[in-house]
Amino acid sequence: MSLFASAADAAYGLVRPVVHATDGEAAHNLTLAALQPLPRARRALTSPVLATELAGLHFPNPVGLAPGFDKDARVAHAMPHFGFGFVEVGTLTPLPQDGNPRPRLFRLVEDRAVVNRMGFNNGGQAKAADRIACLRRYGLPVPLGINIGANKDSADRIADYAKGTAAMAPLADYLTVNISSPNTPGLRALQDRGALEALLDGVAAAQPAGAAKPVFLKVAPDLEPADIDDIVAVAIDKRLAAIIVSNTTITRPPLASRHADEAGGLSGAPLHDLALQRLRDFRRASGGAVPLIGVGGIANSDQAWARIRAGASLIQIYSAMVFEGPGLAARIAHGLEARAARDGFARVSDAVGADA
């Protein structure tokens, strides 16, 4: 594990009680402020066993940072220090927006979970573009994804995604079209087949001429079987590069925390089983024709390995770091290497879909 990751884990172990006693959003902002001055990462955690290819991109390892952690691309430069093989920033909207009223982020410590109703709070694509352009000038040793969304009060949300594509595609290694947040009213309706087709046509038309970037689609876990079949059919027809399964859930399994009834999307440990099942559902529906990225409730190498064997080419983490510390990505990556050797795979990528 890198010195950054090891030192950060040790430090986090000391301050965790204070962090968990602090308002969740305030603690997150303090974390970003602490990470921002770190030097730019020049190398990534990788090995021949861990490296993988997807959508024409080289991923040093399959463990990525999910969006939401670095909404405004303030700390992407530093995240490879902690073992991440790729970084996804956002969600970014065309115009800045404050998001929903506070409080809007809740730790469910007893459940190792988080509930958020942030509402795409971000400083807008223009400000983030300046930061990302600077980062691009100096280089990043891992792929950078940019997650785009629509403004809450937009009269034409499909047009917002087209604007986001035009603005951010030149700076991204891949774009993620996020239509899965439960915190922007009506957004998930874009998962319906007709709306999704129109949306992806708008995104394709807005791609830079001769330099289109891979498009990933992020979906919700709260889908019916017919929804999954429709999304897969559209993804194949529109030649999407990957489907990210999944975002937070609006369902509520039994929870122990006093924040269990807060409105918003639930992430962390209670999401694990649902997200894994949805990944299996998408693998079954697609027959492996569309690459999948597994997200939701992944907190250790065994869970990451299960997600890969179920069909995920890559995985992403975020909420688990609140409880497991900032070195989690590096620990998972090393654990995947060990599990590949244990199960007789020369590369982690060889195990994708082994259990499907």
Side-chain angles (χ1 to χ4, degrees):
M1 214 159 84
S2 74
L3 291 176
F4 271 101
S6 298
D9 267 348
Y12 190 69
L14 295 174
V15 303
R16 186 187 342 242
V18 176
V19 170
H20 282 195
T22 305
D23 169 76
E25 189 168 354
H28 182 73
N29 289 335
L30 287 171
T31 300
L32 294 177
L35 292 173
Q36 203 161 354
L38 290 179
R40 175 178 58 89
R42 297 176 182 274
R43 59 183 62 87
L45 191 166
T46 191
S47 74
V49 178
L50 290 171
T52 192
E53 308 290 325
L54 178 68
L57 301 173
H58 174 77
F59 293 81
N61 75 66
V63 185
L65 178 66
F69 181 85
D70 188 15
K71 288 177 180 287
D72 292 303
R74 292 171 54 191
V75 300
H77 67 281
M79 300 317 294
H81 285 309
F82 301 96
F84 288 101
F86 63 106
V87 174
E88 189 171 318
V89 300
T91 297
L92 291 163
T93 54
L95 300 176
Q97 63 182 23
D98 293 333
N100 293 321
R102 301 187 187 195
R104 55 194 182 181
L105 180 65
F106 307 89
R107 290 188 218 88
L108 284 62
V109 176
E110 299 89 341
D111 304 293
R112 305 184 80 77
V114 173
V115 168
N116 92 83
R117 51 174 180 264
M118 304 299 286
F120 285 173
N121 60 305
N122 71 106
Q125 289 165 0
K127 286 186 178 179
D130 289 341
R131 295 190 190 98
I132 297 169
C134 181
L135 177 62
R136 286 302 193 195
R137 282 196 294 273
Y138 293 101
L140 190 69
V142 301
L144 177 71
I146 302 179
N147 186 300
I148 58 173
N151 283 109
K152 181 178 180 178
D153 59 357
S154 174
D156 187 342
R157 287 181 172 167
I158 290 177
D160 273 17
Y161 285 96
K163 291 175 185 175
T165 300
M168 308 312 295
L171 298 168
D173 290 309
Y174 69 85
L175 285 175
T176 293
V177 173
N178 183 5
I179 54 172
S180 56
S181 170
N183 301 315
T184 298
L187 188 75
R188 288 187 173 190
L190 291 172
Q191 295 175 133
D192 296 341
R193 184 165 187 161
L196 181 57
E197 288 175 333
L199 169 63
L200 294 177
D201 285 343
V203 166
Q207 289 263 26
K213 298 299 173 67
V215 175
F216 299 173
L217 178 70
K218 185 161 187 171
V219 299
D222 311 313
L223 294 167
E224 298 298 326
D227 300 326
I228 295 170
D229 290 339
D230 282 349
I231 290 169
V232 166
V234 173
I236 293 172
D237 182 54
K238 303 301 181 182
R239 298 183 180 180
L240 286 182
I243 300 174
I244 302 177
V245 187
S246 61
N247 208 323
T248 59
T249 180
I250 57 173
T251 64
R252 289 294 184 271
L255 299 168
S257 170
R258 63 187 177 90
H259 296 305
D261 294 327
E262 292 287 350
L266 174 71
S267 59
L271 178 57
H272 173 272
D273 291 351
L274 177 61
L276 175 57
Q277 183 57 52
R278 285 296 166 270
L279 181 78
R280 289 170 174 157
D281 293 341
F282 271 91
R283 174 71 181 200
R284 186 179 304 113
S286 68
V290 183
L292 304 175
I293 298 170
V295 194
I298 299 171
N300 57 52
S301 298
D302 285 331
Q303 293 172 342
W305 186 236
R307 211 67 60 101
I308 287 167
R309 291 186 63 114
S313 297
L314 305 168
I315 64 109
Q316 290 179 319
I317 61 172
Y318 173 12
S319 296
M321 291 192 296
V322 174
F323 306 100
E324 304 295 336
L328 179 61
R331 295 197 302 274
I332 289 177
H334 288 305
L336 289 176
E337 203 168 24
R339 281 152 184 77
R342 179 197 67 192
D343 291 355
F345 294 100
R347 297 176 298 274
V348 170
S349 59
D350 293 338
V352 173
D355 294 337

